[in-house]
CSV table of all heavy atoms in Angstrom, one decimal:
chain,number,residue,atom,x,y,z
A,1264,ALA,N,124.4,119.7,71.0
A,1264,ALA,CA,124.0,120.5,72.2
A,1264,ALA,C,122.7,119.7,72.8
A,1264,ALA,O,122.6,119.5,74.0
A,1264,ALA,CB,123.7,121.9,72.0
A,1265,LYS,N,121.8,119.4,71.9
A,1265,LYS,CA,120.5,118.8,72.3
A,1265,LYS,C,120.8,117.4,72.8
A,1265,LYS,O,120.4,116.9,73.8
A,1265,LYS,CB,119.4,118.7,71.1
A,1265,LYS,CG,118.7,120.0,71.0
A,1265,LYS,CD,117.6,119.8,70.0
A,1265,LYS,CE,117.2,121.2,69.5
A,1265,LYS,NZ,117.2,121.2,68.0
A,1266,ARG,N,121.6,116.7,72.1
A,1266,ARG,CA,121.9,115.2,72.3
A,1266,ARG,C,122.6,115.1,73.7
A,1266,ARG,O,122.2,114.1,74.5
A,1266,ARG,CB,122.8,114.6,71.3
A,1266,ARG,CG,122.8,113.1,71.4
A,1266,ARG,CD,123.8,112.4,70.4
A,1266,ARG,NE,123.5,112.5,69.0
A,1266,ARG,CZ,124.3,112.1,68.1
A,1266,ARG,NH1,125.5,111.5,68.3
A,1266,ARG,NH2,123.9,112.2,66.8
A,1267,PHE,N,123.6,115.9,74.0
A,1267,PHE,CA,124.3,115.8,75.3
A,1267,PHE,C,123.7,116.7,76.4
A,1267,PHE,O,124.2,116.7,77.5
A,1267,PHE,CB,125.8,116.2,75.1
A,1267,PHE,CG,126.4,115.3,74.0
A,1267,PHE,CD1,127.1,115.9,72.9
A,1267,PHE,CD2,126.4,114.0,74.1
A,1267,PHE,CE1,127.7,115.2,72.0
A,1267,PHE,CE2,127.0,113.2,73.1
A,1267,PHE,CZ,127.7,113.8,71.9
A,1268,GLY,N,122.7,117.6,76.1
A,1268,GLY,CA,122.1,118.5,77.1
A,1268,GLY,C,123.2,119.5,77.6
A,1268,GLY,O,123.3,119.9,78.8
A,1269,ILE,N,123.9,120.0,76.7
A,1269,ILE,CA,125.0,121.0,77.0
A,1269,ILE,C,124.9,122.3,76.0
A,1269,ILE,O,124.1,122.2,75.1
A,1269,ILE,CB,126.4,120.5,77.0
A,1269,ILE,CG1,126.8,119.9,75.6
A,1269,ILE,CG2,126.7,119.5,78.1
A,1269,ILE,CD1,128.2,119.3,75.5
A,1270,THR,N,125.6,123.4,76.3
A,1270,THR,CA,125.5,124.5,75.4
A,1270,THR,C,126.4,124.2,74.2
A,1270,THR,O,127.2,123.4,74.1
A,1270,THR,CB,126.0,125.7,76.1
A,1270,THR,OG1,127.4,125.6,76.3
A,1270,THR,CG2,125.3,126.1,77.2
A,1271,LYS,N,126.3,125.2,73.1
A,1271,LYS,CA,127.0,124.9,71.9
A,1271,LYS,C,128.5,125.2,72.2
A,1271,LYS,O,129.4,124.6,71.6
A,1271,LYS,CB,126.5,126.0,70.9
A,1271,LYS,CG,125.1,125.7,70.3
A,1271,LYS,CD,125.0,126.2,68.9
A,1271,LYS,CE,124.0,127.3,68.9
A,1271,LYS,NZ,123.8,127.9,67.5
A,1272,GLU,N,128.7,126.2,73.1
A,1272,GLU,CA,130.2,126.4,73.4
A,1272,GLU,C,130.7,125.2,74.1
A,1272,GLU,O,131.9,124.9,73.8
A,1272,GLU,CB,130.3,127.6,74.4
A,1272,GLU,CG,129.8,129.0,73.8
A,1272,GLU,CD,128.4,129.1,73.5
A,1272,GLU,OE1,127.6,128.5,74.2
A,1272,GLU,OE2,128.1,129.8,72.5
A,1273,GLU,N,129.9,124.5,74.9
A,1273,GLU,CA,130.5,123.3,75.5
A,1273,GLU,C,130.7,122.1,74.6
A,1273,GLU,O,131.7,121.4,74.7
A,1273,GLU,CB,129.5,122.9,76.6
A,1273,GLU,CG,129.6,123.8,77.9
A,1273,GLU,CD,128.6,123.5,78.9
A,1273,GLU,OE1,127.3,123.1,78.5
A,1273,GLU,OE2,128.7,123.8,80.1
A,1274,VAL,N,129.9,122.2,73.6
A,1274,VAL,CA,130.1,121.2,72.4
A,1274,VAL,C,131.4,121.4,71.8
A,1274,VAL,O,132.2,120.5,71.6
A,1274,VAL,CB,129.0,121.2,71.3
A,1274,VAL,CG1,129.4,120.3,70.2
A,1274,VAL,CG2,127.7,120.8,72.0
A,1275,GLU,N,131.8,122.6,71.4
A,1275,GLU,CA,133.0,123.0,70.7
A,1275,GLU,C,134.2,122.6,71.7
A,1275,GLU,O,135.2,122.0,71.3
A,1275,GLU,CB,133.1,124.5,70.4
A,1275,GLU,CG,134.4,124.7,69.7
A,1275,GLU,CD,134.4,126.1,68.9
A,1275,GLU,OE1,133.3,126.6,68.8
A,1275,GLU,OE2,135.5,126.3,68.4
A,1276,LYS,N,134.0,122.9,73.0
A,1276,LYS,CA,135.1,122.6,73.9
A,1276,LYS,C,135.4,121.1,74.1
A,1276,LYS,O,136.5,120.6,74.0
A,1276,LYS,CB,134.7,123.1,75.3
A,1276,LYS,CG,135.8,123.3,76.3
A,1276,LYS,CD,135.5,124.3,77.4
A,1276,LYS,CE,136.5,124.2,78.6
A,1276,LYS,NZ,136.1,123.3,79.6
Side-chain angles (χ1 to χ4, degrees):
K1265 275 188 207 131
R1266 193 187 292 175
F1267 303 126
I1269 55 180
T1270 64
K1271 289 206 249 179
E1272 291 68 31
E1273 286 166 335
V1274 172
E1275 180 161 355
K1276 196 159 169 265

